[in-house]
Each structure stands twice: as C-alpha cells, then as structure tokens.
Amino acid sequence: MIRPPIAASIASILSVLVVTPISWAPALGADRTESTVDREITRRRDYLERGKAAIKAGDRALKDKDYEKAVAQYRLACDLIPNAPNTYKLYHEALSGFCEAGVDLARQRIAEGRYADASNLLQLIISDRYDPECRDARIQLKRLEETDYFNKTLTPKFRANVEQVKQYFVDAKGFFDTGRFDLAYKRCEQVLNIDPYNIAARKLEEEINKKRTDYGVASYDHTRSYMTWQVEKGWDRPVHKFGETKNAIVDQGPTNSGLTQRLQRKLEIIIIPKLSLREATIREAIEFLKQKSVQLDTTESDPARRGVNIVLKLDANGGGDIPAPAPAAAPAAPVIPGLEALPGAAPAAAPGGAAPVASAVNPNEARITVDLNNIPLGAALTYVTNLSNLKYKVEQYAVSVVPIGTPTETLITKEWKVPPGFLSAPPTSGPDIDMSRATPAGGRGGAAALAANAKPQITMGNRVEAKDYLTASGVTFPPGASAIFLPNSSKLIVKNTQENLDLIEAIVEAAIQNGPVQVEIESKFVEIQQTNMKELSFEWLLGQANVPGGQQIFFGGGTSTSTTALNTTTPFVAPNGTSVGTNLVTGGLRSGGQAISQNAIQALLAGTTNAASMSPAVASIAGVFTDPQFQLVIRALNQKQGVDLLSAPRVTTKSGARAVIEIIEEFRYPTEFQPPQIPQTFGNTGGGGGIVGLVGGAAATSSSGSFPVTPTTPTAFETRNTGITLEVEPIVGPDGFTIDLNLVPQVVEFEGFVNYGSPIQTTSTNPITGVASVNIITPNVINQPIFSTRKVTTSVSVFDGQTVVLGGLIREDVQKTEDKIPGLGDIPVIGRLFRSQVEQHIKRNLIMFVSARLINPAGEAVHQDEETEETVETLPIPEAPMPAPNLPLMPK
C-alpha cells in the first residue's frame, strides 16, 4: 500500500519513537504534566501490543476454520499496526492473514448462497486501504461478476433446506436400520415436504413398505398358527387345581367415605358412660359433649383429630322467634326414663320418633336436666337439642346446632371425574322396562328385571340417565336437586344435599378404586360321538341236488329273499370257472345297514335309499363237484366311526355389563301355506272325443288329460338364527378374584327338512282298455325344518382364570340284531353257522365348560399365571475348617 511522503515521514518518526524509548527531562519543572509526545508514544505502544494479540487470535481462528472471527481479528491488526519500516513485517503478516481469511470467508458465503456479502467482503480486501494486490480476492471477485460461473439461484434458504433434508434422510436411514419403520417413514415424509421430488426418499419409503409387508406376512402366519393352536388347545380338558388359597370373600377394611359420614360414624361409635346434667344451659351442655367426644374418641390415632366439632348457631333472639308449626292433634310424647324437662322447656322425643312440638321458648333460657347411662354421642346430642327447642345437622367438618325452624336441606353443587363406563347399564329391549328400578351398573336386580320383561338386545350408546342411575343406587333427590353426566369430558355434576353428596362420593370412589376391570369369558361345547359296529354272519348258498332214492326229485336252497343282500344275477363261481351256488339258504338274515335302523327323526331327514349296504365277505367255503354243490360266505365287520365337535365362543365385557356374541346364519322358512287350488272343470267341455274323468264328483271332459293345478304356496315366513350364541353378564366379586357369571350359551344347528305334505292323486280309466291308473296331480310338498339346540341357562361363580363345567350329557344307543334259520340255528355249536349277529353302540358325550379371566384395558391378565423362570441361588464355596491348634498345616 502506497502512502503520501509527508504521512510516511511522520509515521516513520512515530514508529522510531515507539520502538526506541527516549527519556525526556521536564523542561518546565517537575510539576508539569506529561507532554503530548509521551502520551502519543504510550498510545502507539498500546496499539502495537493489541495488534500482536489480534494477529495471534486471527491465527487461532483461521486454524479452527472460524473465518468470520479470523477476518475480524486480522482487520483489527491491520488498523492498529502502522505500515512503517520498523513494523513492516508485522503489518504485512496481519495483511496477509486478512487476505487469506477474507477469501476463505467469501467462499463460505458463496457456499451459503450469500453472494452479495461475499462480493462486499472481497471489494473491501482489494480496496486501497488494505491490499489491492491480493490475487485470490481478485480472482474470486471476477468469478462472482461473471453471470454463469455460480448458480445464484441457490439461496440461503435453499441451502438450509438441503442441509435439513440431509439430516432427515440420515435420521430415516438410522431408524430404518434399527427397525423403527414408522419413524423412518415419518422422516421420509418430512423430506418430501421440503423436497417433493426427492427420489431417495421415495425409494426408502418403498423399502420401508416392503419391510412392513414382510412383517405383515409374518404376523399373518403367526396369527394363523396361534389360532390353529388355540383350536387344538381347546380339546385340552382343564386340570383340577389343588391348594388354592384365594378366598371368595374378603374382609371389608375401613373405607375413605365422605366427611359427613365420618362424623356420623363418630356420633354412633363414641359412647358416653354417664350423661348427667342439672339445670344446664345449651352452651354448657354443648361444651360438655365436646369435651367428652375428645376424651372418648378411639377412631383417630392423631390426638389433634380426635373428637367432634360442635358449633352452636343461634340468631340474635336465641332462635326462639322461629317456631315450627305444631301439628294438629299430635299424640303425647312418650315418657323417657331418666329424662326430666324443666318448666318452659320443650318435651324431648326419642331418637327416630316423631319430632317434638316446638314452642316459642328462647333456647338461651332453656334449662336441661338429663341423667342417662351408656348413650351414644349422637343420641345424647338429640336429647340435648330437643330439650332446647333446637336441632342439629352433620356437615363436612362440624356438627351445627341450629334453631328448629332453620332449613337444613341446603343444595350444594359438586362435580366428579368418573370412568367412561360409570353409567353403563344392562341393555334394554323396549320402553316397557323401567330402568329407574334397575340396580346400579348391571346389578342382579337389573338383570332379573330384564329377564322377566323381554329378551335383551345390545344397542349402541346404551347408557341410563345420571339421575336414574343414582336413584337406583339409593340416592334421594329433594326438590331442586339434579344430576347430569357429560360424556365428552366424563364429568358427573350433581346438585344435592351434603348427605347425598357424601353417598355419591362413596359410589364414585368405589368405581374409581375398582378400576376398569374387564372379563374375558369363553364357553366351550365339546361333543364326542363314536359309533362301534360289530357283525359276524354266515350266508349259505346251495345248488340243486338229487333227493336220495328219487330219480326226478331235486332240492335246492331258497330262491329270492325279502332283501337285496346279494346280487343273485351273478352266481358264485369256483376257481375252475364252475358255478357253485345260485340260491340263498340264509337270504333272510340281515347284514350291515339292513340290520341297523335309524330313529324316526333321522330316518325322515336322511330319507330311504334304493340299496342297503352289506358287510364285506372275509372268507368263503365251497363244495365243488359235490352233491349238492354249496358255498358258505362269512361276513365280518368291526367298525368305529367318530365325530368330534368343538365350539368355543369367546367374548370380553365390563364387570356388570351384559354382552352377547352371535356367530349365526339367518334361516328363513315358511310357516303358513295357501292350500292347492284344483279347478272343478277343465279341458274341452264340448264333448268332442275327450277323456272323461271324475273330479270333485262331477263329470269332466279333457282333450289334453292335464290338470291346471295351483300347488301349495307359502304365505308367511319366520326367521331362525342358527349358529353359536353366547349371552353373559359377569360381576367381579369384592375380592377382585371371584367372578359371578350369568350365562346363556346356545348352539343351534339345522338338521334338515321333513315333508309334512302328501301328494294329491286322481284316478282315470282308459275307455278303450278299461284299465284304471293313478295320476299324481301335484306332489304337494310342505317342507318344515328341524333344528338341534344345545343350550344352558345358569349362574356360576368361578375364580379368575379357572374353568368350571356348566353341564353335560352322556348317552349311549345300543342296537342288537340276531337272525337265525329256525331249527338249524338252534343246534349247539353248529347252529352259529346259521345265525347272523349285528351289534352297534352309538356313544355321545357332551360337556360344556366356561372359563373366565380378568383383563385390564391393555388386554393383559390381571393375575398372571404364566410359568416364571426359576432362579437358582448361588451357594458360597465351602471353606476348609480351621485346623486344631495341635495339628500342623498342610504344606502348599
């Protein structure tokens, strides 16, 4: 940098003065202040030191790549250090650092998209004040001035978005690699919000969805295998539990009821051994009772909370100016032993009896005389207040004694946060059911009322009114009281007296303490059916033979039989191709399905078949070229057939709420029919060569021989639900372990149709041949369904997680058939060859189980019964005992 000659000379002189200190003797005396030159020398020396410190700070910042700080420090050093011969090296060091740091900062500004800031900084560097010869700054500035060297649309906001996108994408990859696919997908969505055309984010979302799909397939396989395992596990019969220590009933501990109830309890529990008052005022009596309550209170462990606060609230006139209206013709009050009223005092009334007749006596002037033993504090307070023409009411923190005419039914508004299902009630079936008389929260009374009125139907949003629910719970609502429930915030707002509010407090507290307990109920129908069939029969086939002594007489076996046991068109053939037996001797003996018949209903449902089944032939004996020829066929069968059925409907509901699960198919069938319509006349009645028949007793002629008949037509239908239905109402016991269940499990199956109609027929005679024939006008089919129902209606109590048997049915049908040939079948031993025996046993065993388990809102079991891992305690390593004093130690 070039400076003017005069300025350079002055700067050179000052630099010499700064570098080489000169002692100046005071020319004008010792008391003269420092001269201007001394002050200038001190100031420049300070500038030089500060410049050196700035250069060092700039070097450190440049090394740390803090270009902004480095530029500031180097620029400060250039401004502080003079460009003089003595400071030339130091000044150029600062100038070089300013040029280098400034160019680096300009590059950083360009990378950030701040092109104007970079241009201003570079112009400052190459200005005459600093370093016009800074080559890097000139090159960078020239590039900035070119229009196409830098993409100046990359603004700072765009650069920031790029960095944010990079960060989001890195986070997405990290979440993806660690299996947190939802968070990874969210990061990709955030990337696309900033950069909608980011292909990498779309690709990563595709990979995430593939992983999700793989997980879904694995979940499907797992769920299917789990449900298949549940079906197999359903056959597992529960094992009886031994050593169960849970009790069905637990002792009721102290409850945290309302404050007024606690005071009322103290009034009943605190017993005063002797209450003796003579001519006492109401204030003296109240003070005496307060002291006794503190001394005799055993309900509180804290001495500060013992006793009952009793407050006397009288008006300015003592309360006597508010007399109560005296009832007309009131009966005389009974005489209470030990209680004497002074003249002018109101007569006392026994607790729970009629209220005493109030007089206009001032309570402050009344005198009380009482002598009673072992009396509760509440009863004593009743006597004292009645004798003073007063009454008392229990409030939250004290008992107030007020004039007898003071109204005590003060309505207070209070609100509670209640569980969402607080007001849930059993479902109703119509307006005929009065829910106000139902017990709270699906209690026994409500369930009985529902069962007595109509079949319950589950409806959405089934909730009783708050006032009806509380009234059914025993809360009274005086005139002006109200109760509302806000479902959106689960708030119960009640306006009522303090006593009723305390009762509501206890109800709400019990609902909150019990928590949202749910019950999972599973009802199993296990039906085992087995059919055992045994048969051993013999069939004799005998050919023709000569009768001994007779030339033209032959005999043989039987001919055709009453059954289709054997196809006689194909005779038995011997191994050499010769026919052996053609006629059945034992053709009347039944075999297989011919021997066993079905019951009436099953026969109607299954119908009849053209051919009956035969048991297989296991062996045969034939006599070939004998006289006569014969063959013995041995039929034997030992058959077992089993049908096993498992139905296990499962439903989850809240305690006290009725639930119904239906897995059904609606089956519609006709119940009313229009009878068939048969016309009285039909066909061609002109008498031109038609066929004449009798219909309805009248002669008719038909040219076609067909009847225009309207068949039986259904006119009314009914619907029957077939399938599985489970209706249940669980109530969790006070121990939180016992579950009371009202159960109605039912399985309805369609078995088939039975035709209750019969064909409508007519007879006609051929006029040429004279042969009569029967014609079916219409089959007149009237099919009616038959259903099988397995149903149990019961109430049981089960422990949590346990299973009980609801009911069972064991049945065995035994059918035996024994056919024999008369005479031959009665021969000992040999007669067995002429007998056929079939025996069939059909065994059925139907058992119904019910299992109940308490679960929390998360679906987890409240009482876990899973097997836990056994922890083996580590035993200490045994140590060698210390040797006796007289024994030497073993050498190591």
Side-chain angles (χ1 to χ4, degrees):
M1 184 176 63
I2 302 174
R3 296 189 180 184
I6 299 177
S9 302
I10 296 175
S12 178
I13 296 172
L14 292 177
S15 63
V16 173
L17 295 176
V18 172
V19 177
T20 306
I22 302 175
S23 300
W24 295 82
L28 301 178
D31 57 347
R32 191 170 183 176
T33 59
E34 186 179 10
S35 63
T36 303
V37 177
D38 293 334
R39 290 197 301 271
E40 184 65 20
I41 292 173
T42 303
R43 184 178 67 84
R44 288 185 175 272
R45 185 183 295 113
D46 181 60
Y47 283 176
L48 186 60
E49 296 298 329
R50 291 172 58 190
K52 292 179 179 179
I55 291 174
K56 293 181 180 180
D59 292 340
R60 290 194 298 269
L62 185 62
K63 183 178 180 182
D64 296 338
K65 295 184 179 181
D66 189 355
Y67 303 122
E68 190 172 355
K69 182 178 179 181
V71 167
Q73 294 296 330
Y74 285 131
R75 184 181 179 185
L76 177 61
C78 292
D79 293 339
L80 294 176
I81 300 174
N83 185 11
N86 295 329
T87 58
Y88 177 81
K89 183 179 179 180
L90 194 61
Y91 174 78
H92 278 276
E93 182 181 353
L95 192 61
S96 176
F98 178 60
C99 178
E100 181 182 358
V103 173
D104 292 338
L105 181 59
R107 292 195 182 100
Q108 182 176 341
R109 293 288 186 263
I110 293 173
E112 296 173 355
R114 310 178 69 89
Y115 305 103
D117 295 341
S119 179
N120 294 334
L121 179 59
L122 293 173
Q123 289 178 1
L124 177 63
I125 294 173
I126 64 175
S127 63
D128 294 339
R129 182 177 178 183
Y130 293 105
D131 189 5
E133 303 299 332
C134 183
R135 182 173 177 275
D136 293 338
R138 286 184 175 276
I139 294 174
Q140 201 67 27
L141 184 60
K142 184 178 179 181
R143 292 174 179 175
L144 280 174
E145 292 174 353
E146 295 178 2
T147 57
D148 57 348
Y149 192 86
F150 292 108
N151 185 4
K152 296 183 180 180
T153 60
L154 303 178
T155 59
K157 182 178 180 181
F158 180 82
R159 298 283 187 178
N161 290 340
V162 170
E163 296 300 325
Q164 186 65 55
V165 166
K166 290 181 180 179
Q167 183 60 42
Y168 281 155
F169 197 79
V170 170
D171 294 345
K173 288 292 291 182
F175 289 139
F176 177 79
D177 294 337
T178 54
R180 290 173 286 181
F181 302 123
D182 294 337
L183 291 176
Y185 198 88
K186 179 181 178 181
R187 286 291 186 268
C188 291
E189 291 293 315
Q190 290 174 338
V191 169
L192 293 173
N193 285 332
I194 299 174
D195 184 8
Y197 300 102
N198 194 299
I199 299 178
R202 292 293 186 185
K203 290 291 186 181
L204 184 56
E205 283 186 338
E206 182 181 359
E207 294 181 11
I208 294 172
N209 290 332
K210 288 181 180 179
K211 291 294 184 180
R212 285 174 168 178
T213 302
D214 295 342
Y215 174 77
V217 172
S219 299
Y220 166 78
D221 295 337
H222 163 258
T223 302
R224 190 178 186 282
S225 62
Y226 178 78
M227 297 181 71
T228 306
W229 167 78
Q230 281 189 324
V231 172
E232 297 296 336
K233 185 177 180 296
W235 294 106
D236 181 20
R237 184 172 181 177
V239 180
H240 180 69
K241 300 291 184 181
F242 296 94
E244 188 62 57
T245 58
K246 292 287 185 179
N247 295 325
I249 300 178
V250 295
D251 295 334
Q252 178 66 35
T255 59
N256 187 15
S257 58
L259 298 177
T260 58
Q261 294 184 7
R262 290 163 57 186
L263 288 181
Q264 188 69 37
R265 186 166 175 264
K266 286 187 177 183
L267 294 177
E268 297 173 357
I269 292 178
I270 298 176
I271 304 297
I272 301 177
K274 184 173 182 60
L275 176 62
S276 179
L277 300 175
R278 289 291 183 271
E279 298 291 328
T281 63
I282 183 61
R283 299 184 185 277
E284 294 173 348
I286 294 299
E287 188 64 28
F288 174 77
L289 293 178
K290 288 171 61 177
Q291 294 177 1
K292 286 295 183 181
S293 68
V294 175
Q295 296 174 3
L296 303 174
D297 187 4
T298 59
T299 61
E300 301 287 352
S301 59
D302 187 3
R305 301 182 61 181
R306 293 177 182 172
V308 178
N309 297 324
I310 305 177
V311 180
L312 186 62
K313 295 182 180 180
L314 302 177
D315 55 8
N317 296 326
D321 58 343
I322 312 177
V335 178
I336 302 176
L339 178 63
E340 299 176 358
L342 294 177
V357 179
S359 65
V361 178
N362 192 331
N364 290 327
E365 298 177 357
R367 294 295 181 266
I368 304 170
T369 299
V370 176
D371 190 5
L372 297 172
N373 297 327
N374 296 325
I375 183 171
L377 178 60
L381 192 58
T382 301
Y383 287 127
V384 170
T385 54
N386 287 341
L387 290 173
S388 302
N389 196 23
L390 300 172
K391 64 180 180 179
Y392 75 91
K393 65 175 181 177
V394 181
E395 298 178 349
Q396 291 189 4
Y397 301 100
V399 177
S400 297
V401 178
V402 296
I404 198 169
T406 302
T408 57
E409 298 295 328
T410 304
L411 299 182
I412 304 172
T413 302
K414 191 173 181 180
E415 67 178 31
W416 291 271
K417 274 281 190 180
V418 297
F422 178 71
L423 296 181
S424 297
T428 61
S429 60
D432 297 337
I433 299 179
D434 186 5
M435 290 305 300
S436 62
R437 294 194 296 268
T439 56
R444 285 306 183 88
L450 288 173
N453 283 275
K455 183 180 178 180
Q457 300 291 333
I458 294 295
T459 57
M460 297 298 295
N462 190 10
R463 191 187 301 275
V464 298
E465 296 294 333
K467 186 175 180 179
D468 296 338
Y469 177 85
L470 296 176
T471 301
S473 302
V475 181
T476 58
F477 283 83
S482 62
I484 60 173
F485 176 71
L486 304 178
N488 55 349
S489 59
S490 295
K491 280 188 177 181
L492 177 66
I493 303 176
V494 181
K495 182 179 181 182
N496 211 319
T497 61
Q498 185 59 50
E499 291 80 2
N500 289 324
L501 291 180
D502 290 337
L503 179 56
I504 298 173
E505 180 83 24
I507 296 173
V508 173
E509 183 180 1
I512 295 176
Q513 287 180 353
N514 291 337
V517 179
Q518 301 178 120
V519 186
E520 182 185 62
I521 302 102
E522 181 180 16
S523 181
K524 291 183 182 180
F525 294 79
V526 180
E527 183 177 7
I528 307 297
Q529 177 177 340
Q530 182 171 320
T531 302
N532 298 339
M533 184 175 178
K534 296 181 179 180
E535 177 186 356
L536 179 60
S537 59
F538 302 91
E539 289 187 0
W540 287 90
L541 288 88
L542 186 64
Q544 294 180 356
N546 291 321
V547 176
Q551 298 296 327
Q552 303 297 329
I553 300 176
F554 300 90
F555 72 92
T559 58
S560 61
T561 63
S562 59
T563 65
T564 58
L566 180 65
N567 187 1
T568 57
T569 59
T570 304
F572 288 91
V573 180
N576 58 2
T578 305
S579 298
V580 178
T582 58
N583 300 322
L584 286 171
V585 177
T586 56
L589 305 186
R590 291 168 292 179
S591 174
Q594 296 175 337
I596 302 299
S597 63
Q598 297 177 332
N599 58 49
I601 297 297
Q602 291 177 344
L604 288 173
L605 294 176
T608 59
T609 58
N610 294 328
S613 61
M614 291 289 296
S615 297
V618 297
S620 64
I621 300 175
V624 183
F625 302 112
T626 61
D627 189 12
Q629 294 181 349
F630 69 93
Q631 184 172 7
L632 172 64
V633 178
I634 303 173
R635 297 188 181 274
L637 179 66
N638 191 345
Q639 189 179 59
K640 290 184 180 181
Q641 180 180 0
V643 178
D644 303 334
L645 174 65
L646 169 65
S647 300
R650 181 182 299 179
V651 65
T652 301
T653 183
K654 293 182 180 179
S655 175
R658 185 178 294 266
V660 177
I661 181 173
E662 295 180 335
I663 308 174
I664 60 175
E665 293 181 356
E666 293 186 354
F667 187 92
R668 291 178 59 85
Y669 59 93
T671 56
E672 297 181 5
F673 299 85
Q674 183 179 1
Q677 302 295 325
I678 303 176
Q680 297 299 318
T681 60
F682 60 93
N684 185 5
T685 59
I691 300 175
V692 179
L694 294 177
V695 180
T701 303
S702 174
S703 60
S704 61
S706 61
F707 290 85
V709 178
T710 302
T712 303
T713 305
T715 58
F717 295 84
E718 286 186 3
T719 301
R720 179 72 179 270
N721 294 334
T722 61
I724 302 173
T725 303
L726 174 60
E727 184 177 355
V728 61
E729 179 189 14
I731 300 176
V732 181
D735 58 354
F737 192 76
T738 306
I739 306 171
D740 192 9
L741 298 175
N742 298 324
L743 282 164
V744 186
Q746 179 178 256
V747 176
V748 179
E749 294 180 349
F750 168 68
E751 297 291 344
F753 286 102
V754 173
N755 182 13
Y756 290 93
S758 59
I760 299 177
Q761 301 175 350
T762 183
T763 60
S764 61
T765 303
N766 193 326
I768 299 176
T769 61
V771 178
S773 61
V774 178
N775 300 321
I776 298 177
I777 300 177
T778 176
N780 193 32
V781 176
I782 303 177
N783 284 332
Q784 289 295 293
I786 290 184
F787 302 95
S788 65
T789 302
R790 283 160 291 185
K791 180 179 180 180
V792 173
T793 301
T794 183
S795 296
V796 295
S797 295
V798 298
F799 287 157
D800 178 26
Q802 302 305 314
T803 302
V804 296
V805 179
L806 292 183
L809 173 62
I810 298 177
R811 174 183 173 184
E812 183 176 10
D813 296 337
V814 180
Q815 295 189 31
K816 294 184 177 180
T817 301
E818 181 174 346
D819 294 343
K820 64 181 178 180
I821 301 299
L824 297 177
D826 297 329
I827 300 175
V829 181
I830 300 176
R832 182 64 184 87
L833 299 178
F834 299 93
R835 291 198 303 265
S836 174
Q837 291 184 352
V838 182
E839 183 175 344
Q840 178 177 270
H841 295 256
I842 301 177
K843 302 177 181 181
R844 294 184 179 91
N845 191 348
L846 172 63
I847 303 178
M848 302 181 186
F849 301 93
V850 62
S851 303
R853 186 177 65 164
L854 297 177
I855 61 175
N856 55 24
E860 301 172 349
V862 175
H863 303 99
Q864 297 290 340
D865 56 355
E866 296 181 356
E867 183 180 0
T868 58
E869 296 184 3
E870 181 183 2
T871 57
V872 180
E873 183 180 359
T874 303
L875 299 177
I877 299 176
E879 298 181 357
M882 293 298 295
N886 56 350
L887 294 178
L889 294 175
M890 293 294 294
K892 296 183 180 180

